[in-house]
Amino acid sequence: MILSRAELPWSVARNPYEHHRRLWRLFPDQPIEKRQRQEQPRQGFLFRDEDSRPGQPARILLQSSARPTAAEGVRLLASRDLDPQPSVGQRLAFLLTANPVKAIKDTQMQEKPNKRRDTCRVPLITEASQTAWLERKLEGGARMDAVSVLPHPPVFFRRGHRAGKLVTVTFEGLLTVTDPEQLRALLSNGVGPAKAFGCGLLLVRRLA
């Protein structure tokens, strides 16, 4: 894996829907992500917004399988190789911005002729439900020992003529590795939905 830092100009940063599309410019030879299941290897990249202020460029942390290359409209600041080697029983600090959701029956599906599924995702609102969601996502790879949950204001975006909203939170805490390979898969593939909006990048570090 490659860990990089990049910067997006405010003209792009002001619309969260544009972040992912602009960052693809760093990977001109990579096919667009076509994963259908969580366990499939990720072809593209994960990212998180590290610093975004009105009127200022957005600082982005980017994790990819391929090394990014300089591209117009994106400032590539630095890149380095990343090869995490977790071990059973190891305790790690973690950081994750995510979009905790649950699936419910879509009672308005008949009004959406292009929709293929009869379910829709709704955000989990309470801290207890958000923490339980993360425990389920980590299950098998790691045990969560401690966590704090930082809620964020809703993220509004436009996709063509349609408007959307995401509810995101940042989890920060401690975990114990139970299965190194499964944890590596989570690190590579990300956690939860809304990855095109900067969610899902799981960062870990060894404790001193």
Side-chain angles (χ1 to χ4, degrees):
M1 294 186 288
I2 311 295
L3 194 65
S4 306
R5 293 189 183 276
E7 195 174 80
L8 295 175
W10 171 242
S11 59
V12 175
R14 65 191 303 170
N15 183 358
Y17 184 63
E18 292 296 324
H19 292 195
H20 193 248
R21 295 204 297 188
R22 183 61 61 94
L23 291 170
W24 265 116
R25 295 185 181 184
L26 299 173
F27 307 93
D29 299 324
Q30 284 284 98
I32 298 298
E33 182 68 70
K34 295 181 179 180
R35 293 168 69 242
Q36 299 295 321
R37 298 184 305 277
Q38 177 70 24
E39 63 271 16
Q40 290 178 296
R42 175 167 291 280
Q43 296 171 319
F45 58 87
L46 298 166
F47 74 97
R48 62 175 280 125
D49 189 339
E50 294 258 279
D51 186 13
S52 183
R53 305 175 189 178
Q56 300 296 317
R59 288 289 183 96
I60 303 295
L61 185 65
L62 187 75
Q63 178 184 290
S64 57
S65 55
R67 188 171 294 276
T69 57
E72 183 179 357
V74 188
R75 185 182 177 194
L76 185 60
L77 302 175
S79 294
R80 66 179 178 88
D81 293 325
L82 181 68
D83 185 23
Q85 297 289 339
S87 58
V88 174
Q90 185 180 24
R91 298 193 77 214
L92 301 170
F94 74 89
L95 181 68
L96 168 71
T97 295
N99 172 223
V101 296
K102 66 178 179 180
I104 63 170
K105 191 78 172 179
D106 188 352
T107 59
Q108 299 179 334
M109 183 178 178
Q110 300 301 323
E111 302 172 15
K112 305 170 183 177
N114 295 324
K115 190 171 183 182
R116 299 179 181 178
R117 298 181 179 179
D118 63 354
T119 59
C120 61
R121 291 171 174 171
V122 296
L124 298 173
I125 302 300
T126 68
E127 184 173 313
S129 64
Q130 294 165 346
T131 300
W133 175 89
L134 180 57
E135 288 178 336
R136 292 193 298 272
K137 292 298 182 181
L138 294 177
E139 189 175 5
R143 181 184 70 248
M144 192 165 60
D145 298 328
V147 65
S148 62
V149 184
L150 174 66
H152 300 294
V155 176
F156 297 93
F157 63 92
R158 297 199 65 85
R159 182 182 298 174
H161 298 293
R162 296 176 59 188
K165 181 180 78 170
L166 290 175
V167 177
T168 64
V169 299
T170 293
F171 298 101
E172 186 170 8
L174 302 173
L175 59 80
T176 298
V177 180
T178 55
D179 186 319
E181 287 305 310
Q182 287 200 40
L183 181 58
R184 279 178 60 89
L186 289 171
L187 295 172
S188 298
N189 296 331
V191 178
K195 296 181 179 68
F197 291 89
C199 293
L201 175 56
L202 177 62
L203 300 170
V204 297
R205 62 175 175 81
R206 289 177 292 183
L207 299 176

